[in-house]
Amino acid sequence: QVQLVESGGGLVQPGGSLRLSCTASPYALEFYDIGWFRQAPGKEIEAVSCNSAPDGSTTWYTDSVKGRFTISRDNVANTASLQMNNLKPEDAAIYYCATTWSKGPLECAPRRFPTRGRGTQVTVES
């Protein structure tokens, strides 16, 4: 099973940026669809963005982050990233990196990404 470790979370002011990273081991990430999910206190986990194996040619973003967040992968380094710009207070949550063995069209839904890291906290406030 793939093990995932997120990093890069923190406290940022509204309008600021953060870059989340996810390191995968021991298996090659190129065979897996990658997803970023988040969960705010008292809310259900939601999909933020996903991209497809092997090269990320298919991507999906939830409407609220389109134009602000960018997902990427580096199959050589076996890492995934989520660049988050113009952060808003409503973006505050624990962010999780997740993977699923790629089979068929990309579906960015929590139930399709059973393997997740422990998460990294993103706080957006003045």
Side-chain angles (χ1 to χ4, degrees):
Q1 185 171 341
V2 176
Q3 295 183 349
L4 305 168
V5 178
E6 303 94 339
S7 61
L11 171 64
V12 64
Q13 294 184 341
S17 298
L18 285 173
R19 185 177 181 86
L20 305 184
S21 295
C22 174
T23 300
S25 63
Y27 301 108
L29 208 52
E30 66 181 305
F31 300 112
Y32 294 82
D33 296 335
I34 297 168
W36 287 94
F37 299 83
R38 65 187 179 188
Q39 188 167 26
K43 295 187 177 181
E44 294 186 356
I45 193 166
E46 67 167 336
V48 176
S49 180
C50 296
N51 84 14
S52 59
D55 58 4
S57 58
T58 301
T59 60
W60 179 92
Y61 296 93
T62 192
D63 286 346
S64 64
V65 308
K66 286 180 180 177
R68 301 188 296 123
F69 290 12
T70 303
I71 190 172
S72 61
R73 66 163 72 210
D74 182 337
N75 289 334
V76 174
N78 230 35
T79 59
S81 296
L82 184 69
Q83 177 67 42
M84 306 187 296
N85 297 329
N86 191 21
L87 282 160
K88 303 177 180 180
E90 52 263 40
D91 295 318
I94 299 174
Y95 281 70
Y96 300 92
C97 174
T99 60
T100 188
W101 184 261
S102 184
K103 45 184 178 181
L106 181 67
E107 180 181 351
C108 198
R111 62 182 178 85
R112 294 297 302 270
F113 285 79
T115 302
R116 299 175 193 159
R118 298 181 67 178
T120 185
Q121 178 72 50
V122 171
T123 303
V124 185
E125 58 186 42
S126 301

